[in-house]
Amino acid sequence: MRTTENSLESCLRLLSCHFTWNLLEGERSLDDIEDSVCHQSELQKTEFKATKYNLLAYIHHHRGRSQEALACLQQAEESIRQEHGDQAEIRSLVTWGNYAWVYYHMGRLSEAQAYVDKVRRVCERFSSPYRMQSPELDCEEGWSQLKCGGDHAERAKVCFEKCLEKDPKNPEFVSGLAISSYRLEKWPPPQNPTEALRNAIRLNPDNQYLKVLLALKLQKMKKKDEGEKLVQEAVEKALCAPEVLCGAARLYQKKGDPDQAIRLLTKALERLPNNAYLHAYIGGCYRMKVLQCQRVQNGTYGEREDVWELRRQAMDHLQRADELNGSLQHVCSYLACFHAQAGRYEAAEYYFQREFSKELTPLDQQVLHLRYGNFQRYNMKCESKAIHHFMEGVKINHNPHVTEKMKNKLQAIAKTRLLRQGEDPETLHLLAFLQELNGGKWPADENSDGVSGYLDNESGTGMD
């Protein structure tokens, strides 16, 4: 029995399907992938239904929902029969491979073997026992890799390039290449960074999402007028497509117009009222408005009533996002900062610790140490904890701007402590840390030396 199982597993590893494409490598969570599959417009068209159901089956499997996975694979099969009757066998190879893997993990080895045999019978007609070269299969992998985000865009690009070698004018293949190239976001851009997207739009004139991506690329290239015109056209023609609305909102947010971004995202929310990502995005836009108002009011006594209302709107959406999906990054951090501003320090501490418990990117970790350090310094008046978190953030050193902010704060704290209480052990430890950051030199003027010179240096207060 064990020999049979080992033999079956060896055959399974030769199949071309979601279980052999390494789709979960990288930082993206199952929640992120599921949202991308279910709520973004790339896979909502009828011809992509099988792709969508195969991905959902893979997600269900990894969540331990075998019956739901099998139901999705059944829907994928049905969709293929309806949409690709003349190519049903070839286009079903990925689905059959997924069936085989799901049944294998369920311990239903005879059914797993039956699907492996179905794949083998088709592939043998093309001189290969368990997989074959086909642009349709490469395309299926390309869309699946693309939906998994991050570094998978590079693999997706390779898949679509292979497809285009066989069929250079295929609109679906050209669109896939354009989107994967956009997602790679290489900067500085290649000589013609918009060419792939413009070519895809020529072959897919009704694909409004491609127009939004081109607009965002043009905005980055300082061609804002052309980009905004494209976005307006896309939104007019695809008012019900959440991904188009979100992409357009992103353009306006980058432009510094959170009001227009909120209007577009609210339309998307009408379609997807329980989407955590939309609530988080809207909350982030209201936060942007709060920050804009606070900058305008800087130096005035108190806050206007409209700022409190904006803060309430931001917190309502962020709270809803957290209720729907507690793993979203930034949400708890934003809520913590809002609670701190309102003097609710226990709630702020709770949300900060929630954010620290998540799997964060180096940049997000660094920013979180900055925010929590500020909370400890200015709200809790706990200088020791502030020093600790600013130092931890500086050590990460992922974003130079964030690193410099924390270095300046540490220098300001060191100067104040020397003036207030002299050379106590914690202050000396901080000064040694700052000295190491500056290549063994004290962070002081050229003509100053040692601790006394540091006291004379007025350049490093670093207050925001």
Side-chain angles (χ1 to χ4, degrees):
M1 177 65 180
R2 187 66 189 167
T3 304
T4 302
E5 187 174 342
N6 290 339
S7 175
L8 174 57
E9 185 174 349
S10 298
C11 294
L12 286 168
R13 296 194 182 283
L14 297 174
L15 303 179
S16 181
C17 65
H18 294 68
F19 288 81
T20 59
W21 290 339
N22 300 320
L23 297 176
L24 295 184
E25 288 183 352
E27 297 176 345
R28 211 167 188 207
S29 69
L30 282 173
D31 285 334
D32 289 336
I33 297 171
E34 186 170 11
D35 174 74
S36 180
V37 172
C38 293
H39 300 140
Q40 297 180 7
S41 60
E42 289 165 3
L43 300 185
Q44 302 309 309
K45 295 180 180 179
T46 304
E47 60 267 31
F48 289 139
K49 289 295 184 186
T51 305
K52 173 180 175 178
Y53 288 128
N54 270 304
L55 274 165
L56 286 176
Y58 184 65
I59 292 167
H60 282 310
H61 162 76
H62 280 282
R63 286 186 165 147
R65 303 171 185 165
S66 299
Q67 293 304 323
E68 288 89 338
L70 292 174
C72 283
L73 292 174
Q74 188 175 358
Q75 288 176 294
E77 269 194 307
E78 183 59 33
S79 175
I80 290 168
R81 280 194 292 270
Q82 290 177 358
E83 299 299 321
H84 307 287
D86 56 335
Q87 292 184 309
E89 276 193 332
I90 291 176
R91 286 186 175 267
S92 294
L93 291 175
V94 170
T95 306
W96 292 344
N98 288 337
Y99 261 126
W101 273 101
V102 172
Y103 278 127
Y104 173 76
H105 284 294
M106 292 174 72
R108 294 161 63 172
L109 302 187
S110 60
E111 287 154 296
Q113 184 65 58
Y115 277 100
V116 168
D117 292 341
K118 289 181 77 167
V119 172
R120 178 177 52 77
R121 283 194 291 270
V122 174
C123 290
E124 280 180 343
R125 299 207 298 264
F126 297 89
S127 304
S128 176
Y130 292 108
R131 63 172 62 200
M132 56 181 284
Q133 294 298 317
S134 162
E136 289 78 18
L137 298 184
D138 288 326
C139 183
E140 180 79 6
E141 181 183 354
W143 287 117
S144 299
Q145 296 282 0
L146 201 53
K147 283 287 130 185
C148 294
D151 295 337
H152 294 274
E154 185 68 59
R155 175 58 192 163
K157 183 171 179 284
V158 171
C159 290
F160 289 118
E161 284 173 340
K162 285 174 65 179
C163 295
L164 288 166
E165 289 174 5
K166 302 286 185 181
D167 188 356
K169 297 294 184 182
N170 185 295
E172 183 183 345
F173 302 164
V174 172
S175 294
L177 178 64
I179 294 171
S180 54
S181 298
Y182 172 85
R183 295 275 173 83
L184 287 170
E185 280 292 310
K186 290 180 180 175
W187 204 260
Q191 191 171 2
N192 294 305
T194 65
E195 188 56 36
L197 284 165
R198 292 188 190 278
N199 187 34
I201 291 169
R202 280 193 291 272
L203 292 171
N204 301 270
D206 295 327
N207 190 322
Q208 307 308 319
Y209 177 60
L210 291 171
K211 294 176 185 176
V212 170
L213 294 186
L214 177 57
L216 288 166
K217 183 71 76 175
L218 290 167
Q219 183 186 50
K220 199 167 186 177
M221 296 168 63
K222 311 301 182 186
K223 297 181 180 180
K224 299 176 183 177
D225 292 342
E226 184 184 356
E228 201 160 335
K229 184 180 177 182
L230 275 169
V231 157
Q232 290 168 355
E233 178 186 333
V235 170
E236 286 174 8
K237 294 182 177 178
L239 256 180
C240 295
E243 188 160 87
V244 171
L245 293 168
C246 288
R250 185 179 169 199
L251 181 137
Y252 287 108
Q253 185 186 35
K254 287 177 177 289
K255 183 185 174 183
D257 185 358
D259 290 308
Q260 180 63 5
I262 289 168
R263 280 192 285 272
L264 292 165
L265 292 168
T266 302
K267 288 180 182 177
L269 199 62
E270 291 172 5
R271 183 89 181 272
L272 301 168
N274 295 317
N275 184 276
Y277 297 84
L278 279 175
H279 281 288
Y281 200 170
I282 295 172
C285 288
Y286 275 112
R287 175 179 176 271
M288 184 179 180
K289 284 173 65 67
V290 170
L291 295 174
Q292 287 177 343
C293 287
Q294 287 176 335
R295 280 193 287 269
V296 171
Q297 296 176 26
N298 188 32
T300 62
Y301 180 77
E303 285 185 332
R304 296 199 315 253
E305 189 176 329
D306 57 342
V307 176
W308 285 96
E309 175 58 22
L310 290 173
R311 187 180 288 125
R312 185 191 66 77
Q313 292 271 21
M315 293 185 72
D316 284 350
H317 283 287
L318 292 168
Q319 188 70 51
R320 182 61 179 146
D322 187 49
E323 290 168 1
L324 291 165
N325 184 346
S327 66
L328 292 183
Q329 294 183 9
H330 306 298
V331 169
C332 287
S333 176
Y334 290 164
L335 283 168
C337 292
F338 281 133
H339 280 295
Q341 289 174 2
R344 295 187 289 269
Y345 297 152
E346 284 189 18
E349 179 69 27
Y350 166 76
Y351 281 110
F352 272 125
Q353 295 308 318
R354 285 269 312 280
E355 192 75 17
F356 273 115
S357 71
K358 298 175 184 177
E359 293 184 12
L360 302 175
T361 65
L363 174 58
D364 289 335
Q365 289 177 30
Q366 192 179 21
V367 171
L368 183 56
H369 281 296
L370 171 60
R371 289 176 182 156
Y372 190 62
N374 283 336
F375 171 66
Q376 289 296 336
R377 184 184 183 191
Y378 299 116
N379 299 104
M380 303 304 292
K381 310 302 180 185
C382 185
E383 211 169 57
S384 295
K385 285 187 178 179
I387 290 170
H388 170 76
H389 285 280
F390 290 149
M391 289 173 69
E392 289 301 306
V394 169
K395 289 175 188 175
I396 294 171
N397 195 26
H398 188 79
N399 181 294
H401 176 66
V402 178
T403 300
E404 193 62 29
K405 267 191 175 184
M406 286 185 279
K407 280 177 62 178
N408 289 339
K409 288 176 184 293
L410 289 169
Q411 288 176 10
I413 292 171
K415 178 180 176 181
T416 302
R417 288 176 70 97
L418 283 169
L419 289 169
R420 187 178 64 219
Q421 60 202 61
E423 300 176 25
D424 67 285
E426 189 173 21
T427 303
L428 290 174
H429 175 66
L430 172 56
L431 287 169
F433 178 76
L434 291 169
Q435 184 181 21
E436 186 178 348
L437 287 178
N438 284 275
K441 298 179 182 178
W442 293 100
D445 294 333
E446 287 181 5
N447 297 325
S448 304
D449 58 5
V451 174
S452 61
Y454 184 62
L455 278 171
D456 293 334
N457 179 23
E458 297 293 335
S459 65
T461 57
M463 293 298 291
D464 291 336

